[in-house]
Amino acid sequence: MRYVLMFVGSSEDQDAFEKLPKEQLAAAYERAGRWFEEHSKAGRIVGGAELQGPNTATTVRLKNGKAMVTDGPYIEAKEIVGGFAIVEVKDLDEALAMAKGWPAGAVEVRPVVDHSND
Amino acid sequence: MTAALVRALGDFDLAEEVVQDSLVAALETWPKQGIPDKPGAWLMTTARRRAIDILRRDRRYRDKLALLERSDMTSDPAEADDRLRLIFTCCHPALSQEAQVALTLRAVAGFTTAEIASAFLVAEATVAQRIVRAKRKIVDANIPYRVPAGTELADRLDGVLSVLYLMFNEGYLSRGAQAAMRRDLANDALWLTRLVARLMPDQPEVVGLQALMTLNLARSAARFDEAGEMVLLPDQDRSRWDSVAIADGMALLDRAGAMHAPGPYQLQAAIAALHSEARSWADTDWHQIVVLYDALLGHVDSPVVRLNRAVALSHFAGPEVALGEVNDLALVLSGYHLFHSTRAELLDQLGEPVLAREARRRALDLCQNPAERSLLERKLRS
């Protein structure tokens, strides 16, 4: 079963994170890196990425048949997705166990629609 | 033979008891009258008769029969494991707690959606929708059908126990306007807890919760007077407490205690046990109760626990000290009716009738349970 783990944090968390002293920032990145490495080695990670901040986001929205381009994320939310991982595991409990090991913030776990039998 | 009777009676304790009794009867009868042609059948018949006698004599006969109808408790280990897996799946933290309760009642205890709706005073359609959504999430998100192992078990078991305790409390003192107490729901919560306790006999907190529910239910008969008015613990006629159930609860508590891993349910059961043991409200071992509340606070630091501790404290440290502790909780508990009624009691003791009255009025404004409301109204009139 495939799930997407979305790594979520508030923009304040994000700001605070970016203002961390160099060594602490490096340590945090290392913990996240280790998480990815461990689960990749075990064959649980299919894909994923760390995203740049919402200030770099551009939203394209179809309106009356026309694609409108606007600055900013698709929704002004207190919490933003900072990255994601696509994982392949047996069931929700395994996905939750991975999410529990993520070193910071919140993780939203969403099952992926299986189109293999369509 | 016990297994066959468990299937027939749906009650493991009862089956064991009647098998024991029929063996004793055999030991007494056979030497005098000779061994019957079919000793096995003789034992079975004796045991069945004994079971029917016990069930008839039990004043909770009807309650139990109702339970038996939907219980098919079995000693078959495969089926027992299956049932346990079902409970853990129903109480999976990926489901909302409301859904966990509804699903457990529906799938494990065999309630209808209408029964669940009436127990929790919500529309039947709401319950049905909750259950459908929960079932769909179990399938779509692939929530596994298993009993968690290792370090995960403790957390997940906590979740199961809080669903059972919530169910019990809703039955024990209903928030709703229809009845102050729903024994069926409280009894079913106890039945489910007993089931989990039997399936996981080495988990002290499960046994602790079973003890807590048993001890609380033992006081049922004294909690309401003939007019259906609620009687609080200090004023209860203790001779109406069910001494057999109290002994059961104590034995359970001892069994949990022997596992040397105290937890919140065992501590609450121990507090209930001290109340059960006391001959009167004044005779209660308040020092020990405060010690137990302190231990409980080490597990769950909740303002409600602090409020109860303050009540116990008032009995030897005096109402003034207790009121100080209660007032400290004002910020978090000002929306809780028992905070105000506790203040009212303490203010009465301190000779402050005007302030007590005001506190009692606020309690009444916040209280939803009909029996508790009526009690407050009576005190306001007096």
Side-chain angles (χ1 to χ4, degrees), chain A residues 51-59 71-73:
Chain A
L51 304 177
Q52 293 195 37
N55 53 319
T56 63
T58 311
T59 301
D71 171 40

Side-chain angles (χ1 to χ4, degrees), chain B residues 354-367:
Chain B
V354 180
L355 292 173
R357 213 178 152 71
E358 194 185 318
R360 206 161 267 132
R361 275 223 188 83
R362 292 204 58 190
L364 186 62
D365 285 343
L366 293 163
C367 177

Side-chain angles (χ1 to χ4, degrees), chain A residues 1 3 90-93 96 100 111, chain B residues 92 94 140-144 146 156:
Chain A
M1 180 100 182
Y3 299 84
K90 204 171 87 222
D91 53 40
L92 183 66
D93 279 1
L96 294 181
K100 283 177 187 166
Chain B
H92 197 282
D140 290 347
N142 201 17
I143 292 177
R146 69 179 185 112
R156 292 286 309 278

Side-chain angles (χ1 to χ4, degrees), chain B residues 60-352:
Chain B
R60 280 176 289 175
Y61 172 58
R62 291 176 59 128
D63 288 351
K64 279 205 173 156
L65 271 193
L67 282 180
L68 292 186
E69 274 171 15
R70 51 174 171 261
S71 75
D72 48 342
M73 234 183 239
T74 167
S75 57
D76 173 9
E79 209 175 314
D81 285 352
D82 218 35
R83 202 174 264 273
L84 198 57
R85 276 198 292 273
L86 183 61
I87 294 174
F88 273 91
T89 304
C90 290
C91 299
H92 197 282
L95 305 171
S96 75
Q97 196 171 47
E98 286 164 333
Q100 292 175 32
V101 172
L103 204 56
T104 305
L105 284 171
R106 180 80 196 87
V108 190
F111 274 53
T112 63
T113 41
E115 284 170 335
I116 300 166
S118 98
F120 288 91
L121 295 158
V122 284
E124 198 181 330
T126 311
V127 174
Q129 196 180 41
R130 253 176 220 164
I131 292 176
V132 167
R133 278 196 188 144
K135 280 185 179 166
R136 203 178 289 154
K137 183 167 183 187
I138 289 173
V139 175
D140 290 347
N142 201 17
I143 292 177
Y145 186 56
R146 69 179 185 112
V147 175
T151 50
E152 215 190 327
L153 179 64
D155 266 2
R156 292 286 309 278
L157 188 59
D158 273 354
V160 170
L161 296 184
S162 55
V163 163
L164 296 173
Y165 195 37
L166 192 126
M167 218 180 262
F168 179 83
N169 283 331
E170 187 57 42
Y172 196 64
L173 190 55
S174 173
R175 274 170 302 159
Q178 289 174 351
M181 182 177 175
R182 292 162 185 279
R183 282 210 56 165
D184 50 348
L185 193 59
N187 277 326
D188 275 309
L190 174 58
W191 175 79
L192 282 167
T193 308
R194 215 166 51 209
L195 177 68
V196 178
R198 188 165 304 140
L199 298 173
M200 311 185 95
D202 53 350
Q203 292 292 332
E205 277 292 89
V206 185
V207 185
L209 180 59
Q210 192 189 344
L212 175 60
M213 291 177 176
T214 305
L215 290 167
N216 282 343
L217 277 177
R219 298 198 292 262
S220 298
R223 290 178 65 222
F224 298 92
D225 64 17
E226 293 79 15
E229 296 284 357
M230 190 174 187
V231 184
L232 292 181
L233 197 52
D235 308 316
Q236 283 176 15
D237 173 3
R238 295 180 179 224
S239 69
R240 294 179 69 197
W241 290 357
D242 181 343
S243 55
V244 176
I246 289 174
D248 283 352
M250 299 283 194
L252 287 165
L253 189 55
D254 283 346
R255 193 151 63 91
M259 292 184 238
H260 301 292
Y265 294 114
Q266 291 171 77
L267 289 164
Q268 289 176 83
I271 292 166
L274 284 174
H275 284 299
S276 302
E277 274 176 333
R279 271 177 315 169
S280 69
W281 180 249
D283 265 358
T284 311
D285 188 348
W286 295 111
H287 275 100
Q288 189 57 34
I289 286 183
V290 169
V291 168
L292 288 169
Y293 273 125
D294 284 334
L296 187 55
L297 284 168
H299 289 272
V300 271
D301 192 349
S302 102
V304 174
V305 173
R306 289 188 176 275
L307 182 69
N308 289 328
R309 182 189 177 277
V311 173
L313 190 69
S314 74
H315 291 274
F316 57 88
E320 202 166 346
V321 176
L323 186 63
E325 303 240 330
V326 172
N327 286 341
D328 286 345
L329 303 167
L331 212 59
V332 272
L333 287 185
S334 61
Y336 183 51
H337 67 282
L338 289 180
F339 166 76
H340 297 287
S341 54
T342 304
R343 285 194 72 234
E345 294 297 323
L346 294 170
L347 286 163
D348 269 338
Q349 290 172 35
L350 288 166
E352 294 278 6

